[in-house]
Amino acid sequence: DAPNTWRTLTYNEWEYLLNNRPNASSLKGVAQVNGVNGLILLPDNWTCPSGVSFKSGFHSSPGVDYYAVYQTFTIGQWSKLEVVGAVFLPASGCRLGSYVNSVQYCGYYSSATEYDGNDAYNLYFYSDDAYMYDGNRDIGRSVRLVKDL
């Protein structure tokens, strides 16, 4: 991709962030940030800022309330994390026709990689796990844009 062009991550890029980079398990974790449930991804060269502690990983149980049980950040704490490269993916659910489903419950994010003619690879997370799966394109998923510098 051309520098400074916005795009979506590929399957391989999502897999790298979730599983294939050195210390991948210590560079992600679920949390509630300013009242919103989601998944936090940290940069490869992560150093936690002073005044904030980050617990990597997932809660052992699935459920809407377990994001906050696992860890919670105020907007001030999140600002410190964001400055050092943390990225927050809200548990924004998905859209099925005109019905929006699972907000605050789980996150569905599209990748740029096609699985077959009808499906694409997608990121799914919940309070107890995050993984890639192939799913039909007729479900509205969130898109996280990135820019190559």
Side-chain angles (χ1 to χ4, degrees):
D1 293 306
N4 295 310
T5 301
W6 290 101
R7 64 182 182 81
T8 56
L9 294 173
T10 65
Y11 170 83
N12 288 337
E13 290 169 321
W14 279 118
E15 274 292 317
Y16 174 79
L17 289 171
L18 295 174
N19 303 311
N20 297 338
R21 59 186 169 152
N23 302 315
S25 63
S26 66
L27 297 174
K28 64 185 176 219
V30 293
Q32 187 176 87
V33 176
N34 198 38
V36 178
N37 294 337
L39 177 67
I40 296 174
L41 300 173
L42 304 173
D44 290 348
N45 58 350
W46 168 249
T47 301
C48 194
S50 63
V52 180
S53 62
F54 180 82
K55 182 169 58 169
S56 60
F58 299 86
H59 195 281
S60 59
S61 299
V64 162
D65 298 330
Y66 292 114
Y67 291 90
V69 168
Y70 195 72
Q71 67 187 326
T72 301
F73 297 105
T74 65
I75 195 68
Q77 292 168 319
W78 171 249
S79 295
K80 290 179 181 182
L81 292 168
E82 189 174 36
V83 163
V84 294
V87 173
F88 181 67
L89 301 173
S92 53
C94 65
R95 183 184 49 78
L96 304 166
S98 61
Y99 177 69
V100 178
N101 179 6
S102 301
V103 175
Q104 289 280 70
Y105 192 70
C106 57
Y108 295 89
Y109 285 80
S110 293
S111 86
T113 306
E114 182 179 297
Y115 174 73
D116 65 23
N118 295 318
D119 294 351
Y121 286 105
N122 305 284
L123 164 66
Y124 171 81
F125 68 83
Y126 193 47
S127 61
D128 66 343
D129 200 6
Y131 57 89
M132 296 298 294
Y133 74 100
D134 60 274
N136 199 297
R137 295 179 189 208
D138 66 348
I139 297 173
R141 294 172 183 87
S142 297
V143 175
R144 175 62 188 203
L145 296 176
V146 296
K147 186 191 292 189
D148 294 317
L149 302 175

